Amino acid sequence: KFITGMYFQTDEGIALTSYAPSTLTAEIDNSTVTISCDSAYPFRDNATLSVTVDSPCSFELRLRIPKWAESVRITTDGGYISPVKSDYCVLDGTWTGTTVFSVSFKSEFSLTKLDKTAYALTKGPLVYSLALSQERRYISDSLLPYANYELHPVSEWAYAIVCDDKLPFSKQ
């Protein structure tokens, strides 16, 4: 489900919604467009994107800016841009040959209060947790490996992060 929602066709071009390793090939204005994302996302905060067209072609490439990103930097041969915090950064123009650029996200460790007594330790898109023994319960008749299931703990899981709301969280 994560990968199937990675690329979307828009009225003006293509939107990239996540930065997992992938390749998309599409037709735009009689040109074959290939967009590749090389990354270790979500375990690294950067990705290298390449856009290849077989003939000059004008379209928008919309790059989703995750809400967790404190800042974003898009670097190309011609320099870099630091997009304003919004939902998407739009790269618009006429594409020729192959264009390669990198996208880097800045994120810090964060301790997020979930309710009166629960916290989550996060960094970027990751939520840190301890490994637990689990049981997989299928919730539909779909076939593997695309089946829908829930994981239920079968081992103790009463762990905690001791926090004091008066003290700021730091990554020490």
Side-chain angles (χ1 to χ4, degrees), residues 3 12 151:
I3 297 298
E12 297 80 22
L151 297 176

Side-chain angles (χ1 to χ4, degrees), residues 7-26:
Y7 295 94
F8 287 97
Q9 182 177 357
T10 67
D11 291 339
E12 297 80 22
I14 297 172
L16 175 65
T17 62
S18 184
Y19 297 90
S22 61
T23 299
L24 169 78
T25 300

Side-chain angles (χ1 to χ4, degrees), residues 4 7 12 16 20 22 26 30 39 62 70 77 92-93 102 109 111 127-129 133-135 141 157 160 165 168 170:
T4 59
Y7 295 94
E12 297 80 22
L16 175 65
S22 61
N30 298 318
S39 75
R62 300 175 72 81
E70 294 175 22
D77 289 339
D92 191 11
S102 64
F109 283 97
L111 194 58
V127 178
Y128 289 82
S129 63
S133 296
Q134 70 222 0
E135 172 186 61
D141 293 333
W157 60 275
D165 285 340
S170 65

Side-chain angles (χ1 to χ4, degrees), residues 17-95:
T17 62
S18 184
Y19 297 90
S22 61
T23 299
L24 169 78
T25 300
E27 290 289 322
I28 299 178
D29 292 337
N30 298 318
S31 180
T32 301
V33 176
T34 301
I35 301 172
S36 295
C37 181
D38 181 23
S39 75
Y41 185 86
F43 305 105
R44 297 286 182 265
D45 293 340
N46 60 341
T48 299
L49 300 173
S50 66
V51 178
T52 302
V53 296
D54 65 354
S55 60
C57 172
S58 295
F59 66 92
E60 278 185 1
L61 178 58
R62 300 175 72 81
L63 304 176
R64 187 178 74 84
I65 306 299
K67 297 279 185 219
W68 54 260
E70 294 175 22
S71 65
V72 179
R73 185 176 178 124
I74 300 171
T75 307
T76 64
D77 289 339
Y80 71 92
I81 59 172
S82 294
V84 176
K85 184 94 170 167
S86 66
D87 291 335
Y88 285 87
C89 172
V90 179
L91 304 177
D92 191 11
T94 300
W95 301 83

Side-chain angles (χ1 to χ4, degrees), residues 136-144 146-150:
R136 186 178 294 188
R137 296 182 191 164
Y138 292 93
I139 56 177
S140 72
D141 293 333
S142 54
L143 300 175
L144 292 174
Y146 307 107
N148 291 321
Y149 57 86
E150 297 174 337

